[in-house]
Amino acid sequence: MRKFTLLLVFGMLLAALPTLAQTSYKPPTGYAFQTPDDYAQYEPQVIAAVNWLEKTPLSQQPALRKETDQFLFQWISGSAAVSVQLQKYVADLAGQDSELLMLFMGGWARYQLQHPEAKDTVQLNTEGIRTMLRAYKAGGFRKNKQLEELTKMDSNGTLADWVKKQLAG
């Protein structure tokens, strides 16, 4: 009986780990972006915020998601370290779902922070799309046939080619 109880407790702890991991993220508070140094000091938090947004299903922790989106938007809007360019095709992909646009911008910004030498717009756009796709797969979004098609393209290595065509046309 004791072994059964221990196994039950251990199983419950293992089941709770994903929930604990998701709630351990906290967006920055009290930030003020006035100087380049203000932006630079938050670069690790930007990366953590994008990581959390793409892994957390859309329906979970909506208030925390909203705070995170606000932080990211303010940081991306004024940072000199990144220069996100939104194209019409991205707006078309997102449709009415502004969260997908935020994920695209976050994915671009994260990649640019992690690869400061990256200037190729195809690569930066592709990374933004990949972030959208990871979040879409995490769940909570309306069914989107185009995102499902892009997920297949990403799996077979043709996503960057598709992005290149979008940017050319």
Side-chain angles (χ1 to χ4, degrees):
M1 181 71 170
R2 186 165 186 226
K3 283 184 182 181
F4 175 76
T5 305
L6 286 173
L7 283 174
L8 182 63
V9 169
F10 184 70
M12 290 171 63
L13 285 172
L14 283 177
L17 283 178
T19 306
L20 291 173
Q22 287 178 354
T23 56
S24 65
Y25 169 77
K26 299 280 187 245
T29 57
Y31 50 86
F33 301 123
Q34 314 249 327
T35 69
D37 286 343
D38 293 339
Y39 288 92
Q41 74 177 345
Y42 283 98
E43 289 176 7
Q45 288 89 344
V46 168
I47 293 168
V50 176
N51 291 343
W52 182 82
L53 285 171
E54 89 178 347
K55 291 176 185 168
T56 305
L58 183 63
S59 58
Q60 291 184 5
Q61 304 179 32
L64 189 57
R65 188 171 210 96
K66 185 177 180 180
E67 286 178 53
T68 302
D69 285 346
Q70 289 172 344
F71 162 71
L72 271 179
F73 186 75
Q74 287 183 13
W75 188 90
I76 290 170
S77 296
S79 174
V82 301
S83 179
V84 178
Q85 301 167 12
L86 285 175
Q87 305 291 326
K88 183 182 180 322
Y89 86 92
V90 177
D92 292 344
L93 274 176
Q96 299 296 315
D97 200 336
S98 62
E99 183 63 29
L100 287 171
L101 285 176
M102 194 69 242
L103 285 157
F104 174 85
M105 292 189 301
W108 175 309
R110 175 181 61 192
Y111 188 81
Q112 204 166 21
L113 287 173
Q114 293 172 329
H115 304 89
E117 74 288 349
K119 304 292 183 225
D120 179 27
T121 56
V122 173
Q123 182 67 47
L124 293 165
N125 273 269
T126 302
E127 293 303 321
I129 297 294
R130 281 190 177 125
T131 301
M132 290 172 66
L133 296 176
R134 286 185 204 106
Y136 179 74
K137 287 190 279 186
F141 292 90
R142 286 176 279 202
K143 188 166 176 73
N144 184 319
K145 289 183 182 182
Q146 195 167 16
L147 290 180
E148 290 177 21
E149 198 57 40
L150 292 175
T151 299
K152 291 176 189 172
M153 287 181 195
D154 193 27
S155 295
N156 66 28
T158 60
L159 181 61
D161 295 333
W162 181 86
V163 168
K164 191 174 188 176
K165 288 178 189 170
Q166 302 311 303
L167 294 173

